[in-house]
Amino acid sequence: MAIGIFLIVHYNLHSFFMDRERLSELLASYGATSVFLFISLQVAQVVISPLPGDVTGLIGGYLYGPVLGVIYSTIGLSIGSWVAFALARMLGLPFVERIIRPATIRKYDYFLEHKGLAIAFVFFLIPGFPKDTLCYILGLSHMKTRNFLVVSTAGRLLGTVILSLQGSSLRENQDVFFFVLLGVTVLIILGGYFHVGWWLRSVIRERRRSRPALPPPPAPEGVSKPAEGRPDGKQG
């Protein structure tokens, strides 16, 4: 992974992955075997977080159409999500902290622990959310691998479908349809973040209510504590 990141930075491959036309030409030049290369790219863009996933999703629809684009992207994204999840589970927190900032891990730790599958599904559902980061964080949790695969695959499906349709519309020069889908994506993002923000505020309120009451402060030195009995401290 370290060698891969070095090569990406050294040869400026990140800008290459951002160039939709160049990447499409590269994949198309491989003919029938381009499908396996495309799936490998989808796996890599999940495991190696700096690679942009939206671009590869567009290319899937651009090259293979909306149906096959969704199928190939889903295969690659599911495998990549499982690899990231498994790496985090096997190598633990020290490994994940080299990829993700500790502050980011702490930010989602309590939230995911108490909301579990439901909030993880919402995170995967929101287009543009850093789902690759989420795969590593969930690998540190107690979530079962089976549940993770269901949540991550089902949650990513909406964004995958939209990107594949957008890529197909670019190929067919359907600019109006492309911008309609873009508007739908923006609405989903705004609605998703609003819902998550409301959910986060409710979690914070629950945490405040569940905190134990603070013990009373100790009496100042030199002041004797009245004996138990009558309110004035005198024995009955």
Side-chain angles (χ1 to χ4, degrees):
M1 184 175 294
I3 293 173
I5 294 174
F6 170 78
L7 292 175
I8 290 170
V9 174
H10 183 73
Y11 291 103
N12 198 24
L13 293 179
H14 188 272
S15 62
F16 174 74
F17 280 98
M18 291 294 292
D19 192 332
R20 177 177 54 83
E21 293 183 358
R22 289 177 61 192
L23 193 52
S24 298
E25 292 175 359
L26 173 65
L27 289 171
S29 66
Y30 281 87
T33 58
S34 68
V35 172
F36 301 101
L37 180 59
F38 173 74
I39 292 175
S40 300
L41 285 176
Q42 288 288 48
V43 173
Q45 67 90 3
V46 177
V47 178
I48 307 175
S49 295
L51 295 184
D54 295 341
V55 174
T56 51
L58 280 171
I59 290 172
Y62 185 85
L63 290 178
Y64 309 111
V67 177
L68 291 178
V70 170
I71 294 173
Y72 297 151
S73 290
T74 300
I75 293 173
L77 293 173
S78 299
I79 295 173
S81 299
W82 173 76
V83 170
F85 180 87
L87 284 173
R89 178 143 296 181
M90 289 188 298
L91 302 179
L93 182 61
F95 168 76
V96 176
E97 285 183 337
R98 296 182 181 183
I99 303 174
I100 305 169
R101 291 182 303 173
T104 303
I105 298 174
R106 290 193 299 269
K107 179 180 178 181
Y108 295 105
D109 183 45
Y110 181 90
F111 206 24
L112 291 169
E113 180 182 354
H114 288 75
K115 295 299 180 181
L117 293 174
I119 191 60
F121 177 75
V122 173
F123 283 156
F124 277 111
L125 198 63
I126 300 174
F129 189 85
K131 303 176 182 66
D132 309 338
T133 297
L134 185 59
C135 292
Y136 284 105
I137 294 176
L138 289 175
L140 299 174
S141 70
H142 297 291
M143 184 179 292
K144 296 180 180 179
T145 303
R146 179 183 63 254
N147 294 339
F148 168 78
L149 290 175
V150 171
V151 168
S152 61
T153 302
R156 286 182 184 271
L157 193 58
L158 175 63
T160 303
V161 170
I162 292 177
L163 286 172
S164 297
L165 287 173
Q166 285 180 313
S168 178
S169 66
L170 287 175
R171 183 171 185 171
E172 302 297 331
N173 295 319
Q174 299 173 339
D175 296 336
V176 175
F177 186 52
F178 175 85
F179 284 107
V180 168
L181 289 173
L182 186 62
V184 171
T185 303
V186 172
L187 290 177
I188 294 173
I189 291 173
L190 293 176
Y193 276 102
F194 175 80
H195 185 71
V196 170
W198 172 83
W199 214 339
L200 181 59
R201 288 191 294 271
S202 67
V203 169
I204 292 174
R205 287 195 296 268
E206 289 176 7
R207 289 188 67 182
R208 288 174 177 172
R209 293 195 193 104
S210 62
R211 285 177 181 172
L214 295 175
E221 294 183 2
V223 178
S224 59
K225 182 179 179 181
E228 295 182 359
R230 292 168 53 180
D232 56 2
K234 297 180 181 180
Q235 298 295 324

